[in-house]
Amino acid sequence: MARGILGPLKPLDSAGQHDSDRALRKTLSWPHLIALGIGAIVGTGIYTLTGVGADRAGPAVILSFAIAGAVCACAALAYAEMATLIPTAGSAYTYSYSVIGETVAWIVGWSLILEYSLACSTVAVGWSAYLVGWMQAAGIHLPAMLLSGPHGGGIINLPAVLVALGIAGMLVAGTRESATFNIILVVVKMTALALFVALALPAFSGGNFEPFMPYGFGSEVQGGATRGVMAAAAIVFFAFYGFDAVATSAEEAKNPGRDLTIGIIGSMAACTIIYMGVAVAAIGAVSYIDLGKSAEPLAFVLRSLNHPAAAWAIGLAALIALPSVILVMMYGQSRIFFVMSRDGLLPRALSRVSAKTGSPTTVTMVTGVFIAAVAGFFRLDEIAELANAGTLLAFIAVAACMMILRRRAPEMKRMFRCPAPYVVGTLAILGCIYLLVSLPTHTLVRFVAWNVLGVILYLAYGRSRSLAGRR
């Protein structure tokens, strides 16, 4: 077993070296992968965080979307090269383990657990807001105590808990079945967004873009809240990531060299165009001040334009389609848990797969319960910010791994080669660092605390039980 400065290195060609009861089945083709990417990317970020971004940056939230999208595009290119080069489950965790060392891999994996878990929880909370709005529009009112956690004066956000547990049950049924169902949800979601743009654009008013940048460009505290274009970019960044879940599926792809490239690059390009169109339509139709106050901004815009039936339909589409994001993110989370367990860094019992479905059922249910608990008790904006911190660290690691391997092993056959790798990799790292420091201070403190806890767990449990460390 090779060793790096930061611990043992996992072999680059570790695919196919696992026991049959710990190996994932190859069941996914490129339509499944591109739908996984779009299913993960187009979700809460555009359905709910558009309002949060408008509150932080005003009309310049459009610029925030562009900046976050550019950073993610650089990271996506690095992911595409690494995913086709190392087509095994685990994405950034596995790449870090193979290129840098076990210690960094643990930190990245621990951050990915934070990313996926909190991303799922964020979407579950956003879905709950749309459910409540949709039901109230239909004259149905549920007890307020069951619609928000303690932060909102309630006891628990019950709808968010139920949708998280329901998706976990679906994933237990099988990966291919879940991925096929996800394609249907993606079609519903895209149709709804096209309807929104068609109805909102005729009401476009240039006056809604003045002043364009009311809170400035940089991230700073104004009026008790962190505002500015970069402050908004640091949270709407959540709207773009999701293609890393495609990389996590590498071990289950039928033709990883071709399909992963299509899935990662294709989903990222399609979603960037969609986001810019929806953001322009929303900001142009209503005041950013009003938009920033709504938990369901797209439905709010349509109601403001006297399209109650369309607003109801958008709310229904969100209810139907947002679970696709939970499905993909929970899928990614369970695979990170699975691979860390298979490597011995977490209890090995979690890495056994079902003989019937070929998916890790135990770890999926554990993931579902954890996500449901977070969704039931925490606020949407704080969950999203903390999830972003974990993602940004993972993106930095992937870009670094790509550049290190270009220098260390230039002769390796690459199915996809990132153009200008050192330029793209450097831009991805610098962009992610800038977005990371643009997050609120309390978010960064919580992120550091999460990783301190993770390092303690690694030193107390994972390092001594690591399979790589024993070889």
Side-chain angles (χ1 to χ4, degrees), residues 15-16 23-29 32-33 83 86-89 175-176 249-257 259-260 331 335 357-359:
L24 299 170
R25 291 182 187 171
K26 294 184 177 297
T27 59
L28 304 178
S29 56
H32 293 107
L33 296 181
I86 308 176
T88 56
T175 300
R176 182 178 176 83
S249 71
E251 195 170 318
E252 293 165 274
K254 293 180 179 179
N255 185 353
D259 297 347
L260 289 171
Y331 165 83
R335 272 31 179 195
T357 65
S359 60

Side-chain angles (χ1 to χ4, degrees), residues 46-324:
I46 199 66
Y47 275 105
T48 62
L49 289 183
T50 303
V52 177
D55 178 62
R56 298 193 177 194
V61 67
I62 295 172
L63 184 57
S64 301
F65 272 114
I67 292 171
V71 172
C72 282
C74 291
L77 291 171
Y79 261 96
E81 176 166 322
M82 292 302 300
T84 54
L85 191 63
I86 308 176
T88 56
S91 70
Y93 159 78
T94 297
Y95 312 151
S96 299
Y97 210 153
S98 299
V99 178
I100 303 175
E102 183 178 276
T103 304
V104 170
W106 169 271
I107 294 172
V108 171
W110 192 246
S111 295
L112 283 172
I113 290 173
L114 187 72
E115 170 200 339
Y116 285 124
S117 297
L118 298 191
C120 285
S121 300
T122 301
V123 180
V125 173
W127 181 86
S128 177
Y130 268 93
L131 174 66
V132 173
W134 184 76
M135 293 183 71
Q136 288 178 346
I140 303 172
H141 298 273
L142 300 176
M145 299 295 285
L146 300 180
L147 300 179
S148 66
H151 61 84
I155 299 174
I156 187 173
N157 191 329
L158 187 59
V161 170
L162 293 178
V163 72
L165 294 178
I167 293 298
M170 187 179 300
L171 281 171
V172 167
T175 300
R176 182 178 176 83
E177 292 76 9
S178 299
T180 301
F181 178 66
N182 178 62
I183 293 177
I184 299 172
L185 297 183
V186 166
V187 171
V188 172
K189 185 164 23 183
M190 302 293 277
T191 302
L193 291 177
L195 173 65
F196 171 80
V197 172
L199 292 175
L201 271 183
F204 183 91
S205 171
N208 287 329
F209 285 83
E210 299 174 0
F212 181 68
M213 202 181 296
Y215 307 116
F217 183 81
S219 175
E220 59 183 63
V221 177
Q222 301 178 37
T226 305
R227 287 193 165 94
V229 172
M230 289 309 301
I235 190 168
V236 302
F237 170 79
F238 177 91
F240 282 95
Y241 68 75
F243 57 81
D244 53 336
V246 178
T248 303
S249 71
E251 195 170 318
E252 293 165 274
K254 293 180 179 179
N255 185 353
R258 179 198 66 186
D259 297 347
L260 289 171
T261 301
I262 295 173
I264 294 172
I265 303 299
S267 60
M268 185 63 205
C271 292
T272 300
I273 295 171
I274 294 166
Y275 275 16
M276 298 307 292
V278 171
V280 168
I283 297 292
V286 301
S287 166
Y288 72 89
I289 296 175
D290 295 330
L291 191 67
K293 296 176 182 177
S294 177
E296 38 166 0
L298 302 192
F300 167 78
V301 169
L302 293 178
R303 282 196 294 268
S304 299
L305 299 177
N306 295 317
H307 294 299
W312 182 86
I314 286 286
L316 179 60
L319 287 175
I320 295 172
L322 280 181
S324 69

Side-chain angles (χ1 to χ4, degrees), residues 368-436:
V369 171
F370 176 69
I371 289 167
V374 175
F377 297 103
F378 292 93
R379 286 171 43 185
L380 183 144
D381 57 346
E382 292 185 350
I383 298 173
E385 288 170 343
L386 201 50
N388 285 359
T391 307
L392 288 164
L393 181 63
F395 283 9
I396 291 170
V398 173
C401 288
M402 179 197 67
M403 292 191 290
I404 290 171
L405 271 188
R406 277 296 185 102
R407 186 169 295 274
R408 181 190 298 170
E411 76 289 348
M412 290 187 68
K413 183 179 179 181
R414 290 164 169 82
M415 299 298 294
F416 173 83
R417 298 181 68 87
C418 174
Y422 298 108
V423 174
V424 170
T426 300
L427 288 175
I429 291 173
L430 293 178
C432 287
I433 291 174
Y434 191 15
L435 288 173
L436 189 62

Side-chain angles (χ1 to χ4, degrees), residues 2-27:
R3 296 188 68 86
I5 298 175
L6 296 171
L9 299 173
K10 183 190 289 190
L12 290 172
D13 58 349
S14 59
Q17 299 180 3
H18 307 292
D19 298 335
S20 59
D21 63 343
R22 299 181 193 275
L24 299 170
R25 291 182 187 171
K26 294 184 177 297
T27 59

